[in-house]
Amino acid sequence: MLLNQLNAAASPLTPEQVQKLQGLVAELNPIQQAWVSGYLAGNANSAALAGGVASAASNVAEAATLTILYGSQTGNAKGVATQLQAQAQARGLAVNLVSMADYKPTALKKEQFISIVVSTYGEGEPPEDAEALYEFLATKKAPKLAGVKIAVLGLGDSSYEFFCQTAKDFEERLVKLGAEVILQRADLDVDYEDHSDAWINGALDAFEPDLKAQQTNSNVVSMPMTAGAASQYNKQNPFAAELVTVQKITGRDSTKDVRHIEISLEDSGIQYQPGDSLGVYFLNDETKVDKVLATLELDGETQVTLGDEALSLRDALIERLELTQSYPGFVEKYAAVTENAELLALVADKAAMREYIEARQTYDVILQNPAKVSAQELVDSLRKVQPRLYSIASSQAEVEDEVHLTLAVVEFDGFGEQHLGGCSGYLGRFAEEGATIKVFTEHNDNFRLPADDNTPVIMIGPGTGIAPFRAFLQEREARDAQGNNWLFFGNPHFTQDFLYQTEIQGYLKSGLLTKIDVAWSRDQAQKVYVQDRIREQGEQLFAWLEQGAHLYICGDASRMAKDVHQALIDVIKAQGGKDDESAEQYLKELRSANRYQKDVY
């Protein structure tokens, strides 16, 4: 039912409220409308659970609502979930879009229609915002879900061993509780955009008959989205920004090449908050692209097609296709096209395949296995390049129409030549100041400063993990926040690797930064890391937590974050008189209260 068709008999709104709602909707674009709809639905769900809505009305809403739960590490799953919500609303379906971090697991027993959109990171682990629900479903407290209809979509990266494992686990656990799968789960790779629309349509086709029947029987009013303004800049529609500054901030003798990057967002209208990320599209190394063309004896001017677009092979390889990150899908397709016996053997041996691609970029696979392939066959074997996400290292309260990054250039020697990361190599070594860079922001509501400026914060960010905390400090200074700020920072050498040293010392002198503990791992015989400093400062750190401090970690997920987590467990045990289980529960409670947040990669 359209807004202008609402009347006193069909709607609980007054005529004045309907008029205000019409005015608001007319000002919002589709993404904003979807967000507002999810916000209102989430409020209604929370109120119902708290007893704030009459039970009869609550039952009507729940019986006819598709609940979309998303768990998102980088924002991709949230984006797909939002598309699912928008398309469901366009069909006139009532939808409740909720982050798993904000969803009360006990509400599951009141659901009838659930769609899960979830990513996987690390070694098959759920994203931060999905952890609590993921763990709850494996406990005895999880309710029986007989009669509940579900559809699950997984996003992942096939270059990792446990591809889309979290989605598989969610589906398995829900089915064990009695839920019915009404659409086959889809496990999508990093180029998911080419396939997610089909899954969304399939899911809605499966859910719609029962949802519509219940909405009709319950007289549920649905308000489809109306046409809005032009869409915001996003992953599908990035902003063409100017690269303003590229500055090396490690010393001449450092083993690391870390760059401070400044990008202009002037005239974009893009707004971001400390804790958000910047997505960056990059160009592949032209010299290596030309080497690929020469090795395969292909003419770079040959026309190829990518979807509905026609362009030259050379342009496609430079601008549109992934040539650095290696992944099994390319090896499989390239092996089939070239009929290469060695590569075909790898396809049959997953362990050998992973060992093979770990040491190689996609460039290497091609250059080491030259063959007669057509330009289109090569293009069809490659996946579209994906933007890289970087933690934003600035606050707009300080830098206004700019966005800053702290970027480590990925480089290694292999097979007799230097290799650079795709985006880090482009931004750090190839792109010149003044170049146009396609960017977009990715909001991260699970990594936010406390709303109360009097709240103390503890920031743990070794290496480039310092990035969001530079933004935090800029923001706290601009807001004249009175809460104490404590930074843990580490890197190999004090003289070579103290990132933003002058700024940090300035914050210490002004009093904005209350306390800093640094760990220089290579400045003495015994290696010292941030987790060692955490244990050394255990008594005071625990006291801060007991006084309400918020705790943040940013950096490497595979080792640092796990080591820091264990150090925190050790501190809580020692200072709080707790055992392992109680210490873990202490951190879980901090996480549930949004007082323990991670931005790890």
Side-chain angles (χ1 to χ4, degrees), residues 257-380:
D257 181 357
V258 178
R259 305 283 172 133
H260 172 73
I261 308 289
E262 297 181 1
I263 297 171
S264 173
L265 300 178
E266 189 174 358
D267 298 328
S268 70
I270 291 176
Q271 299 292 311
Y272 62 85
Q273 298 182 56
D276 289 342
S277 296
L278 188 77
V280 182
Y281 284 94
F282 61 95
L283 302 180
N284 286 313
D285 183 351
E286 294 187 21
T287 59
K288 288 202 170 183
V289 167
D290 289 336
K291 191 172 182 180
V292 166
L293 292 172
T295 298
L296 298 181
E297 299 180 1
L298 292 173
D299 182 353
E301 296 305 311
T302 302
Q303 292 292 294
V304 294
T305 58
L306 279 174
D308 297 329
E309 184 181 2
L311 68 168
S312 74
L313 173 60
R314 189 172 188 273
D315 286 346
L317 293 175
I318 292 173
E319 301 173 10
R320 306 295 297 280
L321 298 169
E322 180 62 70
L323 290 173
T324 47
Q325 285 188 347
S326 191
Y327 54 100
F330 169 70
V331 178
E332 292 170 7
K333 292 178 181 179
Y334 191 72
V337 168
T338 61
E339 298 181 348
N340 182 299
E342 180 182 350
L343 295 182
L344 288 170
L346 288 173
V347 172
D349 186 339
K350 290 186 178 180
M353 168 75 83
R354 298 201 176 279
E355 183 179 353
Y356 179 81
I357 64 174
E358 186 175 359
R360 292 168 172 80
Q361 293 184 327
T362 300
Y363 288 119
D364 297 315
V365 178
I366 298 172
L367 296 176
Q368 293 171 15
N369 297 278
K372 276 291 183 183
V373 295
S374 70
Q376 191 63 50
E377 286 174 331
L378 176 61
V379 167
D380 292 342

Side-chain angles (χ1 to χ4, degrees), residues 9 31 65 125 136 141 202 211 334 406 415 530 545 593 595:
I31 292 176
T65 299
E125 299 162 13
F136 175 82
K141 294 182 180 180
L211 278 166
Y334 191 72
T406 310
F415 313 108
V530 288
L545 292 177
R595 289 180 51 205

Side-chain angles (χ1 to χ4, degrees), residues 251-517:
R252 180 183 302 174
D253 298 324
S254 174
T255 57
K256 299 182 177 183
D257 181 357
V258 178
R259 305 283 172 133
H260 172 73
I261 308 289
E262 297 181 1
I263 297 171
S264 173
L265 300 178
E266 189 174 358
D267 298 328
S268 70
I270 291 176
Q271 299 292 311
Y272 62 85
Q273 298 182 56
D276 289 342
S277 296
L278 188 77
V280 182
Y281 284 94
F282 61 95
L283 302 180
N284 286 313
D285 183 351
E286 294 187 21
T287 59
K288 288 202 170 183
V289 167
D290 289 336
K291 191 172 182 180
V292 166
L293 292 172
T295 298
L296 298 181
E297 299 180 1
L298 292 173
D299 182 353
E301 296 305 311
T302 302
Q303 292 292 294
V304 294
T305 58
L306 279 174
D308 297 329
E309 184 181 2
L311 68 168
S312 74
L313 173 60
R314 189 172 188 273
D315 286 346
L317 293 175
I318 292 173
E319 301 173 10
R320 306 295 297 280
L321 298 169
E322 180 62 70
L323 290 173
T324 47
Q325 285 188 347
S326 191
Y327 54 100
F330 169 70
V331 178
E332 292 170 7
K333 292 178 181 179
Y334 191 72
V337 168
T338 61
E339 298 181 348
N340 182 299
E342 180 182 350
L343 295 182
L344 288 170
L346 288 173
V347 172
D349 186 339
K350 290 186 178 180
M353 168 75 83
R354 298 201 176 279
E355 183 179 353
Y356 179 81
I357 64 174
E358 186 175 359
R360 292 168 172 80
Q361 293 184 327
T362 300
Y363 288 119
D364 297 315
V365 178
I366 298 172
L367 296 176
Q368 293 171 15
N369 297 278
K372 276 291 183 183
V373 295
S374 70
Q376 191 63 50
E377 286 174 331
L378 176 61
V379 167
D380 292 342
S381 298
L382 294 162
R383 68 186 181 193
K384 292 180 181 177
V385 70
Q386 296 298 307
R388 308 300 197 249
L389 288 177
Y390 296 99
S391 302
I392 291 176
S394 57
S395 163
Q396 280 191 299
E398 170 76 18
V399 303
E400 298 182 343
D401 288 336
E402 289 185 351
V403 61
H404 298 177
L405 305 177
T406 310
L407 178 148
V409 177
V410 176
E411 56 184 324
F412 63 94
D413 291 326
F415 313 108
E417 61 181 30
Q418 183 192 50
H419 292 64
L420 295 174
C423 194
S424 67
Y426 175 67
L427 283 178
R429 301 285 178 84
F430 300 134
E432 297 181 356
E433 294 180 354
T436 298
I437 309 290
K438 293 181 179 179
V439 302
F440 61 94
T441 53
E442 195 67 69
H443 296 290
N444 184 0
D445 293 331
N446 298 310
F447 202 78
R448 287 283 184 256
L449 279 167
D452 183 352
D453 286 341
N454 294 312
T455 303
V457 299
I458 302 169
M459 302 165 284
I460 305 169
T464 56
I466 189 69
F469 303 135
R470 181 177 185 263
F472 277 20
L473 290 168
Q474 288 182 356
E475 181 76 8
R476 296 274 269 188
E477 182 177 50
R479 282 161 40 176
D480 194 26
Q482 297 303 302
N484 290 334
N485 303 296
W486 186 355
L487 174 66
F488 286 86
F489 176 73
N491 241 347
H493 299 285
F494 166 72
T495 58
Q496 302 294 320
D497 305 304
F498 197 163
L499 308 182
Y500 302 113
Q501 179 181 357
T502 302
E503 292 181 18
I504 290 171
Q505 289 175 334
Y507 288 143
L508 273 171
K509 186 176 181 180
S510 71
L512 175 71
L513 189 56
T514 313
K515 184 175 174 62
I516 183 172
D517 280 277

